[in-house]
Amino acid sequence: MRRLAMAATFALALSIGGLSPAVALADDNSAADATVVPATGNGDAETPGPEDPPAGPGDDAGPGTDGTPAEPGDGEDSTDPGGDENAADPGDGEEAADPGEGSGEPTEDSTPIDASFSLDRSTMPVDEAAEAIPYTITGLKAGDTVTAEPGENGSTTVDSDGTYNGELRGNTALKVGDVVDVTVVVARDGQESKTFTGSVEITDSHDDSDATVSVDPQSQTIDSYLDNGVDITVSSCEPGEEVTVTIVRKGEDTNIWEETKTAGDDGSVSASFMPGTGGDGWIGDFVVSAECGDMTAETTYSVTENDDGTDADLSVTPQSQKLADFLENGVNITLVNCHVDSEVTFQVSSATDPDTVIWEETQDAGEDTAGSVRFVPDGDGGTGWIGDFTVAATCGDKSAETTFTVTDDGSVIDPTLSISPERISGVDFIDRDKGVQMTLTDCAADADAHFEVYSGDKSEKLYEQTATADQDGTAGIQVYGLGDDPAYYVGTYHVVAACMDVSRSGKFVVTGGESGGGNGGESGEAGGSAGGSSMPRTGAELTGLTAGALLILGGGAAIGLARRKNWS
């Protein structure tokens, strides 16, 4: 950079009396170099927080009205911004209501402070900074009090709504290399004060040929950044010279963005950077660098979390519905107030077991900062879906929960399969008066109930039969061995029964018995040759089996249930 050598320190005479009030001036030459810094609450100069959104890149940095602030002692002569000549002076006796009295809650006419602060320049030559350090505050109300330091300005009462331009004066002991930490406090009757902070790096004096780069705004929330990006201006290059502008994340070397333009007749270049996608990944500090000829310049900007205090809002529709409607249509779930392109995760769990996730889905928030999904349960479950459910959703550091309810309308078939006995000796299994009873209950009256019996390894269907449910919705069949050797049937059998397209499954075991051949053991798969001879292939009771299947079971459909109730 081109710089002029100069003495390390400056002393600048103060205005007469040693004190100079803050001057509300619009500095047209520095507006594009504004440093916007979010505020913290309670008057503490802390790291910028999420309470007051800064001005967007397009906000006007000029004065709100005539640009002339009230002097600290002008209270009695100032008029109300509304123009009421009869308005009571805040200092007039008992009739002037003090918004700050009593509980300290905001009065009806008092609104929370929604202002933004910017230092007009992030770096200043030592001679200019010693004269005055300019700053801008937008979003003020008449009567607000502005206190800025370091400097000898004291406090100033703003006399009109809008933008206030002030200067920090009296910092005559600055030297090259200093970093001036600036604190500005905005106070309003009946409201919590807002504290803004920023810093200015003091550099050597330079001539007008040094390149400069500015970013507007230098601090903003993530939503504002994703919507508006940043505006970049490079000045003091040579007309017609190529100017290259780059952006990197602070502390890293990889270019996030780069653009080259030709300087105009005034030696300046303007560019805009829009982040596009990325969501919360853009939160942080960034460095903007510019090169033109042998000159370089850089500045920084920051992106913060939203400071409007808005939480994510989760909704489920409908929040209560009947079981049949739920199984067919499910529920619609929406989470709003996320960031564009942020990852949104939805989960559904039973209210009785919130730690067990029944269903989960993830998507990116759209341009409306919302994520929306539809949850439809699978076909299984039946009346198991009756009850209360918890829905949880997250995006970034935001989360929300709500519930929905499914009620029983009696429209869903939820049959129950019973097998009796579940364990039977081979001797009893080949007894056609005993065998195994399989029953479906809670079907619809006169509905078809279909039963199937499979081998132990489920590789072969051994028997199937259809029975009609009675008026109580109950249907049953009996199965038994067709052969004479009980040992042949030792093993496990699997049962599948279905009614109204809802299936249930179970099993029964045939054990070794005292009569008949075989080893009398309990091992082996059903339908195997555990020592018995091949079964006769009469198959009169068997239906629907594939050709060549080993027919080992027989049975009867719709048998009387009462005659077996005392047998086990």
Side-chain angles (χ1 to χ4, degrees):
M1 297 178 66
R2 300 183 185 130
R3 301 185 177 178
L4 296 178
M6 61 166 293
T9 62
F10 279 83
L12 181 65
L14 304 180
S15 57
I16 295 176
L19 297 175
S20 175
V23 181
L25 298 177
D27 187 347
D28 295 335
N29 294 327
S30 62
D33 200 15
T35 303
V36 182
V37 182
T40 58
N42 298 319
D44 296 328
E46 297 178 351
T47 302
E51 297 177 10
D52 296 277
D59 285 351
D60 187 0
T65 53
D66 60 3
T68 304
E71 291 294 326
D74 287 347
E76 297 181 357
D77 295 332
S78 61
T79 60
D80 190 289
D84 184 0
E85 296 180 356
N86 297 321
D89 190 303
D92 289 344
E94 298 178 355
E95 295 185 3
D98 184 356
E101 290 180 355
S103 65
E105 294 295 324
T107 66
E108 185 175 329
D109 297 328
S110 177
T111 58
I113 298 172
D114 186 14
S116 63
F117 162 75
S118 66
L119 286 164
D120 292 359
R121 301 169 69 177
S122 59
T123 61
M124 291 187 68
V126 64
D127 54 343
E128 294 181 23
E131 181 179 354
I133 299 175
Y135 64 90
T136 301
I137 305 177
T138 62
L140 297 180
K141 298 291 185 182
D144 288 350
T145 300
V146 178
T147 305
E149 58 182 22
E152 300 176 351
N153 309 81
S155 298
T156 300
T157 301
V158 179
D159 64 351
S160 61
D161 294 353
T163 301
Y164 175 82
N165 295 89
E167 293 180 343
L168 293 165
R169 293 182 177 272
N171 298 294
T172 57
L174 296 175
K175 61 182 182 294
V176 176
D178 284 348
V179 175
V180 181
D181 293 322
V182 177
T183 302
V184 175
V185 179
V186 177
R188 181 176 299 167
D189 287 344
Q191 296 295 332
E192 183 180 13
S193 63
K194 297 289 185 180
T195 298
F196 302 88
T197 61
S199 62
V200 178
E201 182 180 356
I202 307 304
T203 64
D204 197 353
S205 294
H206 58 79
D207 58 34
D208 292 338
S209 64
D210 285 343
T212 60
V213 60
S214 62
V215 177
D216 181 29
Q218 284 194 302
S219 180
Q220 60 181 317
T221 61
I222 179 64
D223 280 348
S224 174
Y225 182 64
L226 293 174
D227 289 341
N228 305 308
V230 290
D231 296 327
I232 303 169
T233 302
V234 183
S235 306
S236 301
C237 296
E238 293 293 333
E241 195 170 42
E242 281 196 348
V243 181
T244 300
V245 183
T246 60
I247 296 177
V248 300
R249 184 177 288 276
K250 191 172 184 179
E252 299 180 4
D253 298 326
T254 304
N255 286 352
I256 295 173
W257 174 81
E258 179 177 320
E259 186 168 326
T260 299
K261 288 189 171 185
T262 302
D265 293 339
D266 60 354
S268 67
V269 162
S270 295
S272 296
F273 169 62
M274 293 293 297
T277 60
D280 291 339
W282 285 107
I283 296 174
D285 297 319
F286 301 87
V287 178
V288 180
S289 301
E291 294 184 3
C292 54
D294 60 352
M295 293 185 294
T296 61
E298 69 177 32
T299 188
T300 61
Y301 69 90
S302 60
V303 180
T304 64
E305 267 289 353
N306 284 338
D307 52 11
D308 57 4
T310 302
D311 292 327
D313 186 16
L314 179 64
S315 62
V316 176
T317 55
Q319 283 198 303
S320 180
Q321 61 181 317
K322 295 180 179 180
L323 177 60
D325 295 332
F326 174 65
L327 293 177
E328 181 177 357
N329 303 315
V331 291
N332 295 312
I333 308 171
T334 301
L335 184 71
V336 299
N337 295 331
C338 296
H339 303 318
V340 176
D341 297 320
S342 293
E343 188 176 84
V344 186
T345 300
F346 300 90
Q347 292 181 338
V348 174
S349 58
S350 170
T352 58
D353 185 14
D355 295 331
T356 301
V357 176
I358 298 173
W359 172 86
E360 181 174 7
E361 185 168 322
T362 299
Q363 63 172 227
D364 292 337
E367 294 294 332
D368 57 355
T369 71
S372 184
V373 294
R374 183 183 180 191
F375 166 53
V376 179
D378 56 34
D380 296 333
T383 55
W385 287 109
I386 296 173
D388 296 324
F389 297 87
T390 299
V391 180
T394 59
C395 61
D397 61 350
K398 297 181 178 181
S399 62
E401 281 192 3
T402 189
T403 61
F404 68 88
T405 301
V406 179
T407 60
D408 186 5
D409 57 0
S411 63
V412 176
I413 299 299
D414 190 19
T416 300
L417 171 65
S418 62
I419 300 174
S420 178
E422 293 183 352
R423 196 174 191 86
I424 186 173
S425 69
V427 172
D428 288 336
F429 186 65
I430 63 173
D431 185 341
R432 298 194 178 194
D433 291 328
K434 295 182 178 180
V436 173
Q437 172 74 45
M438 295 178 287
T439 306
L440 270 179
T441 56
D442 298 324
C443 292
D446 298 322
D448 286 341
H450 190 72
F451 299 84
E452 296 175 346
V453 180
Y454 290 84
S455 59
D457 59 3
K458 301 181 181 179
S459 63
E460 187 175 16
K461 184 191 294 183
L462 304 175
Y463 180 79
E464 67 175 0
Q465 184 61 271
T466 298
T468 301
D470 61 18
Q471 294 304 306
D472 295 327
T474 300
I477 67 168
Q478 174 204 23
V479 293
Y480 47 83
L482 296 175
D484 297 327
D485 188 348
Y488 184 84
Y489 297 97
V490 171
T492 300
Y493 296 82
H494 294 275
V495 178
V496 176
C499 175
M500 303 290 288
D501 296 325
V502 179
S503 63
R504 296 291 181 261
S505 61
K507 65 181 180 179
F508 64 89
V509 177
V510 177
T511 66
E514 295 179 356
S515 60
N519 57 17
E522 297 185 16
S523 61
E525 298 292 346
S529 56
S533 60
S534 298
M535 297 301 302
R537 296 178 178 266
T538 57
E541 299 90 342
L542 305 176
T543 60
L545 298 182
T546 59
L550 184 63
L551 310 181
I552 66 167
L553 299 180
I559 64 172
L561 303 181
R563 70 182 179 87
R564 291 182 52 83
K565 65 181 180 180
N566 295 321
W567 181 86
S568 59

